[in-house]
Amino acid sequence: MKASMNIVRLISSFREKDSYSIRLGDALIDKLKKENPVQLVEKNFTLDPPPYLQQQHIQAFATPIDQLSDEQKLARAYSDQAIEELLAADVLIVEVPMYNFTIPATLKSWIDQIARSGITFRYTEKGAIGLLQNKKVYLIIASGGVYSDKEMQAFDFTESYLKYVFQFMGITDIVTYRVEGTAIPELKNQAWQKALKQLEEKPEFTFTM
Ligand SMILES: Cc1cc2nc3c(=O)[nH]c(=O)nc-3n(C[C@H](O)[C@H](O)[C@H](O)COP(=O)(O)O)c2cc1C
């Protein structure tokens, strides 16, 4: 029997059934399910938003486990669980509606909670080393405008940021799917068809255990 593929899915659009990033995420998961048995952890940041990073979190992260107060344990709880889920994942699906040229604040908060020195990356004399290994990331980016054209590329701070931050933490297998032009009536339908086509055509990861 084939081993299960552990997927963590991050949903950051608040548009539920109308959301293109969620719909493309659904299509990708359906596709992956046809190829592998899947274990899915779904994190919907509209229903359960990650806490904004504060001083209390940083202090709790820096305190040795056996010295944590009850308050500090609570402050670390979201981060500890999110990292546990991430470490267990083979595949991370990040569904991203573009807001004001970049990622939603909820998704940024999740990243702030999982980017932890000594756990997901560490600094050495030679610079930073990513500690997340054997993971693949699918970025699914929905935007009202079109950013894959040369002219607009410079104003898209979603893909460049996400690729950099995941690579910083050690993940180098990253594939991007886009639904572009969702706010442009004459492009809307075409945008969705084009996005589905990418699922068929873009390089697939080979999942091996
Ligand atoms: C608050 C807000 C800000 C947005 N900012 C941008 C933007 O900077 N550039 C853009 O192309 N589209 C922008 N849009 C449009 C969304 O990216 C577009 O509706 C996309 O389809 C949202 O993803 P979703 O369908 O998964 O919800 C914005 C939408 C909202 C609600």
Side-chain angles (χ1 to χ4, degrees):
M1 212 178 93
K2 249 182 158 182
S4 284
M5 175 190 263
N6 289 331
I7 300 180
V8 171
R9 172 188 199 181
L10 307 180
I11 296 173
S12 56
S13 170
F14 44 68
R15 296 196 323 121
E16 302 180 345
K17 296 232 174 313
D18 292 332
S19 159
Y20 289 99
S21 59
I22 295 176
R23 282 166 54 191
L24 197 57
D26 285 340
L28 174 61
I29 290 167
D30 283 348
K31 187 178 177 212
L32 294 174
K33 274 184 179 164
K34 282 187 192 138
E35 292 152 14
N36 310 277
V38 157
Q39 297 259 24
L40 185 63
V41 172
E42 197 168 278
K43 298 181 84 69
N44 185 328
F45 296 149
T46 302
L47 305 176
D48 185 16
Y52 284 130
L53 195 64
Q54 307 272 7
Q55 179 74 347
Q56 75 217 39
H57 301 117
I58 303 292
Q59 278 171 350
F61 297 162
T63 304
I65 287 195
D66 56 350
Q67 291 167 33
L68 287 170
S69 66
D70 287 347
E71 224 170 75
Q72 286 175 320
K73 280 183 194 156
L74 207 62
R76 276 173 56 132
Y78 186 95
S79 170
D80 286 348
Q81 192 190 327
I83 288 174
E84 199 179 303
E85 289 161 352
L86 185 58
L87 291 176
D90 304 298
V91 171
L92 182 64
I93 299 177
V94 188
E95 297 168 10
V96 190
M98 179 188 283
Y99 293 157
N100 302 312
F101 307 101
T102 187
I103 65 172
T106 50
L107 175 57
K108 176 60 165 54
S109 284
W110 179 85
I111 293 170
D112 289 342
Q113 292 287 341
I114 59 102
R116 271 174 61 185
S117 178
I119 303 182
T120 50
F121 68 92
R122 80 185 157 85
Y123 287 111
T124 69
E125 282 172 7
K126 289 183 185 155
I129 295 182
L131 299 177
L132 294 176
Q133 286 175 346
N134 304 321
K135 299 191 192 309
K136 295 132 198 307
V137 168
Y138 289 100
L139 301 178
I140 298 185
I141 301 171
S143 57
V146 176
Y147 294 83
S148 56
D149 292 354
K150 266 213 171 116
E151 229 172 83
M152 291 300 288
Q153 254 169 23
F155 307 112
D156 169 22
F157 301 95
T158 57
E159 186 178 8
S160 53
Y161 167 66
L162 289 168
K163 276 189 164 167
Y164 188 76
V165 80
F166 284 120
Q167 280 171 20
F168 174 79
M169 290 186 276
I171 304 178
T172 51
D173 281 347
I174 303 174
V175 169
T176 304
Y177 297 121
R178 283 180 179 269
V179 197
E180 298 190 287
T182 65
I184 303 172
E186 59 273 27
L187 290 187
K188 219 166 155 177
N189 280 339
Q190 219 181 314
W192 177 244
Q193 291 311 323
K194 256 177 142 174
L196 284 179
K197 222 168 160 207
Q198 288 169 58
L199 286 195
E200 302 303 318
E201 289 171 0
K202 270 222 184 172
E204 264 295 315
F205 301 123
T206 325
F207 178 64
T208 47
M209 286 288 288

